[in-house]
Amino acid sequence: MKCPFCQQADSRVLDSRPVEEGAAVRRRRECATCGKRFTTYERLEEQPLMVVKKDGRREPFSHQKLLHGLALACRKRPVSTEELSDLVAAIERQLRQTALAEVESRRIGELAMQLLRHLDEVAYVRFASVYREFNDVHSFVREIEKLGRY
C-alpha cells in the first residue's frame, strides 16, 4: 500500500478491526519511510450492482453516493459517521442478498428510509422530504403523523 504522503510502498499495519458489521476491515498503517499514519479499508470485490433510475437510466450502485445523501439528512444530528457507514453497508447487503444484478432506485430509497427511521426520526423526515418530493407542508405533516403510529 503506497503512503498517501510520500508515495513509498513500505508501510506496516498498526491496528486492524472489522467495520460495517464485518463487511470490511479497517487498517491503521504507518509509513516506514516518513512515519506518517493513514487508514485503509479492505472490502470484498463483488459483482457490480446496477441501479435503475426513475427515468430508466442505469448506473452502478455507489456506496459513496448513498452515504452522502444520508449524511445530508443527518447533518447536525447525533448520528456518527460509523452509524451511517453501517446503515449503508446494511442496505447494500440486503440488495446483494436478492442476487439480482439490477435494483430500482425506489427500492434503495425505501430501504434507506426504513433503516433511517429507527436511527433518527428527524433525519428520516429530512430524507423522506427529498426522496418523496414533498410539494407542500401538508405532505410533511402527513409523514410526521405516520411516525407517531410506529
Side-chain angles (χ1 to χ4, degrees):
M1 177 63 59
K2 279 189 177 180
C3 171
F5 304 102
C6 70
Q7 304 304 311
Q8 295 301 311
D10 192 19
S11 66
R12 67 185 183 105
V13 175
L14 301 174
D15 179 46
S16 290
R17 67 179 67 168
V19 292
E20 298 173 9
E21 297 180 9
V25 177
R26 176 186 179 271
R27 299 194 194 284
R28 192 71 180 139
R29 297 177 177 270
E30 183 177 63
C31 178
T33 304
C34 71
K36 292 191 177 177
R37 294 181 177 189
F38 57 99
T39 302
T40 61
Y41 291 88
E42 183 178 312
R43 289 184 180 82
L44 177 67
E45 185 175 1
E46 296 172 323
Q47 294 292 358
L49 178 64
M50 297 302 287
V51 177
V52 181
K53 308 296 270 183
K54 289 179 188 177
D55 63 5
R57 286 181 301 118
R58 286 166 169 71
E59 64 181 48
F61 174 82
S62 171
H63 183 94
Q64 285 304 118
K65 187 174 179 180
L66 181 55
L67 183 61
H68 177 72
L70 291 169
L72 285 175
C74 293
R75 190 167 174 229
K76 296 187 180 182
R77 299 297 304 155
V79 178
S80 72
T81 304
E82 188 171 333
E83 287 174 308
L84 283 176
S85 289
D86 288 346
L87 191 134
V88 172
I91 292 168
E92 187 171 0
R93 213 174 16 266
Q94 285 186 32
L95 295 172
R96 291 190 183 280
Q97 285 175 348
T98 65
L100 297 174
E102 293 184 345
V103 63
E104 292 183 5
S105 59
R106 179 180 50 82
R107 176 73 177 129
I108 297 170
E110 293 297 330
L111 281 171
M113 287 193 309
Q114 179 184 7
L115 296 173
L116 198 54
R117 178 184 298 145
H118 300 292
L119 188 62
D120 186 281
E121 290 180 343
V122 172
Y124 163 77
V125 172
R126 287 177 178 171
F127 188 87
S129 72
V130 173
Y131 174 72
R132 292 202 173 132
E133 299 174 347
F134 293 163
N135 294 320
D136 55 36
V137 103
H138 300 293
S139 301
F140 273 104
V141 171
R142 281 192 300 275
E143 196 64 37
I144 290 169
E145 285 173 348
K146 284 183 194 177
L147 277 175
R149 290 183 226 149
Y150 292 103

